[in-house]
Amino acid sequence: MSDVGQPTLVGRASELAALRKTWQASLTEGAGLALVCGEAGIGKSTLVNEFIRGLGPETEILLGQCIAFGSEAVTYAALTQILRTLASRVGEDTVRAWTGAGFDVLCSLVPGLDRQTSTPINPDRIQVLEAVADLLQAAARERPLVVIIEDLHWADVFTGHLLRFLNAALAETLGLLIIVTYRTDEISGRHPLRPALADLQRRARLRLPLEPLNTAEIEELIRPLLPPDTSPGTISRIVERSEGVPYFAEELARSTGGRGALPATLREALLVQFLILDPDIQQLLQVAAIMGVQFDFDDLVAVSERDETTAGEALRQAMDAGLVLALEDERYAFKHAILRDVIHEEVLPGEHRRLHSRYADLLLTRRRGNHRMELIHHLRAAGRKQEAFEAALRNAAELDDAHPDCVELYQLAIDLWDQVQRPEQVIGRYDEVLNRAAKANNWLGDHLRAARLIDASISAMPPETPASERAERLVQRARALKFAGLPGAEQALDEALGLIGQGPPSVELARVLDLQANVAMLRGGFAEALELCDRAIPIADELAPPGDSLPDRLRNTQACCWAASGDEERGIAQLSQLLSSRTYREQLRHQTNLSHYLNLAGQYRRAADVALAGTADARALGLERYVGSMLAGNAAEPLIHLGECDQAQTLVSRGVDLAPPSGHQLQLLTASADIALHRGDLDKADELIGEVLAICMPMHEEPQIDLMLAWVRGRLLLLQGNPAGAWRMLASVLKRVPLVHPASAWSLVALGQAVLADLGDATAEQQRLLDDAVVNLPEVNLVPMLRAWRKAEASGRKSDWLAMLDVTPHLRPIWITLWAHLRCAEAALRARDLDLARKQVGVGRDLALRLGAADFVRRFDDQHGRIEQSEDDRPGGLTGREKQVLSLVAKGRSNADIASELFVSTKTVSVHVSNILAKLGVGSRTEAAAWAHRRGIT
């Protein structure tokens, strides 16, 4: 950022100090994120510039400006500027050394970098995120680094993902500060960056909302801009009209120069500065305004059709007038976006179209990927809708469906469809474009929009569309509804089956049966799903094209149904056989389901290993945000069961930072709540559960998430001392949600029995609800342990708790182990078995301490106190009868005398005396008597 024409900082001492403190923390504690926000002209850039001026020459500073054309944000705009600047400073060879395999990914974003291969590359956003993180981390290791992203309100959605990713991935990198500025008044409830910004605000080290300056500060700001003899009335009017906004005050002061009437509006104030310039300079600035807030000098020369000397001199005068700032690499920027907007409005309509057209022609000669959205904007502004339409579709066809621009490109084509000639000749029918747009939205996780687009595609299909094509669209609709957690997937599949089910066997039929079986499996209809698989597998084996994943997908569903319906060993074996040594997309499904069923079988370590291998494969395929985030959740669950909550939290946090689809986000947030529960942070767990419940839609249908949430929420309510609330929630789930696996059903039933134990006096109806939930369920690995847990909760006997702790301890999740030790100690206390209670408390507390389970540590400490209290009530651990015998021994009575007084046999007294001597650790009746006298037991 340049000092040329930069305004003076006034009235921001505390904010500047906060930025400097944050920078110091970044040097010693790890990378930080600072958000500087406020309305337009409030002084965000001025504050950041002042902060930068205070940094030493050893600090590297990189600036990226977000850019939008109309309502369309330019993808990668800020990132491209940052990468270009860094590459020019450190050299291409250094960037290549720092990024390794990620260098080619960066080459696709930064024109001029020399790629090592001629193979075309369309990087997925995750590949870009990883490459940028590697580059910035390496740069920060060389020298302290400040990265500034200006005007986030104009950013593309990817930039929001980038900031969330960098904030998480580089948290431990010393000497790195990311500063982001944005206008608070431009990020409304429907702004696409609002969810990402909300998350950034929670995680940022510093958030600086800038307020308007007060009267004294505005006066201090404008006095140097006014002649010494400016009247107090003029100063007061400037202060009043500026409303405390520094930029407005400065421009109003400059426009009047202390003489004459003040302009009625800020627009007029800005125009005054523009209109006093020579006409040649005005024309050049109008060309620049067409190009955007920032512009390249060479581009300005080309579009304005001037020679470099004339254009350079005009630009210098514009800089001297304070309207333009010099950046780096022959780039310039208007001093404020509002100024650019005002000048842009001055361009006459005919000239407006001509200049946009000329700039579009310039961009067309470059074919640079990061200019695709900018090019289409200028083509549309030039009235060249046909070319804009064709460019949108051409770019979309060149990209993978998972590319972040694909959705927007198809949307542009849809918007322009009725405004161009013969659109069908460019790409095909309108309904086909809608279908492709739906697929792109499905890939990027916007299943709700995908569902709407595919519905429109189905409605727009011509009557003569073949049944197989209609069936394919219905399958696409079912997929969107299924992953959006909405009803209707099964109806769509039934309709597709009705179209092709009566004809000869076909691949299309097998695909319908495949998804139909998958949907049936997810709602617990295993027998139905297995029948569908049995029907489809022979068709797929015979007719699927070579390399098609359809046969393996069907066998995956078949294996899952076996595992869930009692034949765990067979199902897990088939899923294991489906795994391949090569990394491909269908492999991720096998890893997802195998890790899930290994976890439900109690094979926690293997489940975590399979899921972790899947997350690495997903990252390599550029799918970490999608199926990779689900695999992260699948890895976190068994790690939590093993008590390895730190590694689980790392996985969950990374997954959440990638802004995954809603279903995967719910899984990750629920896992995060479970981790908080294990750590004893009940308030944090409660907050996360609230976030999950807020995200869940009223029509959300996802049994696995519902059951996982009920398992975490039920235990939380139990630990919070709210068994009534826990029972209401569990009863609702048991009545409403399909119990898709015996282990899941028994877990909730055993937990429900624990809730009833705390409630007391369980009704027959309540017990019947629990019984009915597990009646006729097949036996799987975890059931014996969970059944023993339920029995112990129902009886409350210490013998049942001891028996439960002996049942398959290697399959028992760590939370259930802690809970069982706690309950067993309570049962022992009730039975006055203090030795057993003490043992259970000791074992449980040691385990809780090792795991960092603070809430359980506190509960075991409370139990220890109750044991101590019981020992006070029963000195030496003596029973009431033994205490009576000891008091008589202390009085010198013989065994015969004691037997006579207590109406028992002499032998019984002898046994009591022996027990007393053993418990007190003394060797004679005399020592026992002395012990009793010291404690007043006589």
Side-chain angles (χ1 to χ4, degrees), residues 721-743:
N722 184 9
W727 176 255
R728 284 193 299 272
M729 184 275 300
L730 287 171
S732 172
V733 170
L734 291 172
K735 293 174 183 176
R736 173 178 54 86
V737 179
L739 301 177
V740 294
H741 193 281

Side-chain angles (χ1 to χ4, degrees), residues 489-501:
E490 292 186 75
Q491 293 89 324
L493 290 171
D494 288 342
E495 188 177 346
L497 196 60
L499 288 170
I500 59 176

Side-chain angles (χ1 to χ4, degrees), residues 11 51 63 168 170 236 256 291 333 335 426 436 493 642 691 741 793 796 800 915:
F51 164 73
L63 170 66
L170 303 180
S236 295
T256 184
M291 299 167 66
K335 182 180 176 183
V426 177
R436 294 177 195 178
L493 290 171
L642 292 168
E691 192 170 344
H741 193 281
E793 293 285 6
D800 286 333
N915 288 340

Side-chain angles (χ1 to χ4, degrees), residues 236-524:
S236 295
R237 287 194 298 275
I238 293 174
V239 170
E240 179 181 0
R241 195 164 294 171
S242 73
E243 298 180 341
V245 178
Y247 178 65
F248 296 175
E250 290 175 318
E251 299 311 315
L252 288 167
R254 287 193 179 98
S255 67
T256 184
R259 310 269 193 267
L262 288 174
T265 65
L266 175 65
R267 183 180 184 282
E268 292 180 18
L270 297 174
L271 274 178
V272 167
Q273 299 175 70
F274 172 70
L275 294 174
I276 62 175
L277 298 173
D278 289 341
D280 284 348
I281 301 173
Q282 293 181 30
Q283 291 174 10
L284 187 73
L285 290 181
Q286 287 178 332
V287 174
I290 289 290
M291 299 167 66
V293 177
Q294 292 188 11
F295 50 92
D296 287 312
F297 178 73
D298 289 343
D299 291 353
L300 182 64
V301 169
V303 177
S304 67
E305 298 180 329
R306 302 187 183 204
D307 61 73
E308 291 188 7
T309 302
T310 303
E313 178 57 30
L315 203 54
R316 168 55 59 185
Q317 293 186 47
M319 291 170 61
D320 291 342
L323 301 183
V324 173
L325 305 175
L327 304 178
E328 297 182 357
D329 301 326
E330 294 293 309
R331 288 183 61 78
Y332 297 84
F334 285 97
K335 182 180 176 183
H336 202 287
I338 296 174
L339 176 62
R340 178 262 174 188
D341 292 344
V342 168
I343 295 174
H344 185 268
E345 290 172 4
E346 290 297 297
V347 182
L348 296 174
E351 187 70 2
H352 181 274
R353 287 191 297 273
R354 185 178 66 82
L355 291 174
H356 274 293
S357 184
R358 192 179 295 166
Y359 192 34
D361 288 336
L362 180 65
L363 294 176
L364 278 168
T365 64
R366 294 179 178 165
R367 300 288 184 182
R368 288 181 356 203
N370 56 302
H371 282 296
R372 62 173 65 90
M373 300 309 300
E374 186 178 2
L375 167 63
I376 294 168
H377 162 76
H378 288 292
L379 287 171
R380 292 183 72 181
R384 295 160 63 175
K385 296 178 181 178
Q386 187 75 32
E387 291 177 81
F389 176 79
E390 293 176 4
L393 291 175
R394 181 175 61 250
N395 279 287
E398 293 172 355
L399 300 174
D400 186 270
D401 284 341
H403 193 282
D405 279 352
C406 225
V407 166
E408 191 167 355
L409 289 167
Y410 278 123
Q411 187 58 52
L412 283 167
I414 291 169
D415 292 343
L416 290 172
W417 188 271
D418 293 329
Q419 303 175 43
V420 299
Q421 297 179 353
R422 298 180 294 280
E424 296 86 353
Q425 295 183 5
V426 177
I427 193 171
R429 301 193 312 262
Y430 181 58
D431 61 289
E432 293 173 336
V433 176
L434 291 169
N435 187 36
R436 294 177 195 178
K439 289 180 179 179
N441 278 274
N442 257 335
W443 265 114
L444 292 182
D446 192 347
H447 303 296
L448 287 173
R449 177 153 184 78
R452 290 194 293 270
L453 286 165
I454 199 63
D455 283 347
S457 173
I458 291 171
S459 298
M461 283 192 298
E464 65 275 10
T465 303
S468 60
E469 191 173 335
R470 289 180 178 274
E472 186 273 333
R473 304 281 175 90
L474 288 166
V475 171
Q476 176 88 337
R477 181 175 192 271
R479 194 177 305 278
L481 293 173
K482 170 192 167 189
F483 288 111
L486 295 174
E490 292 186 75
Q491 293 89 324
L493 290 171
D494 288 342
E495 188 177 346
L497 196 60
L499 288 170
I500 59 176
Q502 303 305 314
S506 63
V507 174
E508 289 77 14
L509 173 61
R511 295 192 197 284
V512 173
L513 295 173
D514 168 44
L515 191 54
Q516 205 169 33
N518 194 253
V519 171
M521 176 191 70
L522 291 177
R523 60 167 166 75

Side-chain angles (χ1 to χ4, degrees), residues 21 62 174 211 245 365 379-380 483 506 584 662 784 835 892:
K21 182 179 179 181
L62 302 175
L174 297 177
E211 301 296 332
V245 178
T365 64
L379 287 171
R380 292 183 72 181
F483 288 111
S506 63
Y584 68 112
S662 61
D835 288 338

Side-chain angles (χ1 to χ4, degrees), residues 521-522 526 556 559-561 563-564 568 572 575 588-604 606-612 630-631 633-638 641 667 702-705 707-708 740-744 782:
M521 176 191 70
L522 291 177
F526 304 118
N556 181 299
C560 293
C561 291
E568 280 184 316
I572 288 173
L575 285 169
L588 302 177
R589 184 170 186 243
H590 305 324
Q591 291 164 321
T592 298
N593 288 335
L594 176 57
S595 61
H596 175 67
Y597 285 104
L598 285 169
N599 181 56
L600 289 171
Q603 298 185 43
Y604 305 124
R606 187 181 170 203
D609 289 345
V610 170
L612 288 170
M630 177 186 286
L631 281 158
N634 278 20
E637 290 180 50
H641 291 331
Q667 179 193 13
E702 196 66 52
Q704 290 181 359
I705 291 176
L707 296 175
M708 182 182 178
V740 294
H741 193 281
S744 300
L782 293 184

Side-chain angles (χ1 to χ4, degrees), residues 164-297:
R164 295 171 72 182
F165 183 86
L166 294 178
N167 192 43
L170 303 180
E172 298 181 3
T173 302
L174 297 177
L176 171 61
L177 177 63
I178 300 174
I179 302 175
V180 177
T181 71
Y182 64 94
R183 294 182 190 172
T184 49
D185 51 335
E186 292 211 17
I187 299 188
S188 63
R190 293 181 176 273
H191 195 287
L193 278 175
R194 188 172 178 83
L197 184 59
D199 185 71
L200 291 172
Q201 289 171 343
R202 287 194 300 269
R203 300 173 188 274
R205 181 169 289 165
L206 175 67
R207 182 174 182 268
L208 273 181
L210 302 187
E211 301 296 332
L213 300 180
N214 60 36
T215 298
E217 290 165 341
I218 290 292
E219 288 186 3
E220 179 185 349
L221 179 68
I222 64 175
R223 280 193 181 278
L225 304 175
L226 297 169
D229 59 347
T230 302
S231 69
T234 298
I235 293 175
S236 295
R237 287 194 298 275
I238 293 174
V239 170
E240 179 181 0
R241 195 164 294 171
S242 73
E243 298 180 341
V245 178
Y247 178 65
F248 296 175
E250 290 175 318
E251 299 311 315
L252 288 167
R254 287 193 179 98
S255 67
T256 184
R259 310 269 193 267
L262 288 174
T265 65
L266 175 65
R267 183 180 184 282
E268 292 180 18
L270 297 174
L271 274 178
V272 167
Q273 299 175 70
F274 172 70
L275 294 174
I276 62 175
L277 298 173
D278 289 341
D280 284 348
I281 301 173
Q282 293 181 30
Q283 291 174 10
L284 187 73
L285 290 181
Q286 287 178 332
V287 174
I290 289 290
M291 299 167 66
V293 177
Q294 292 188 11
F295 50 92
D296 287 312
F297 178 73

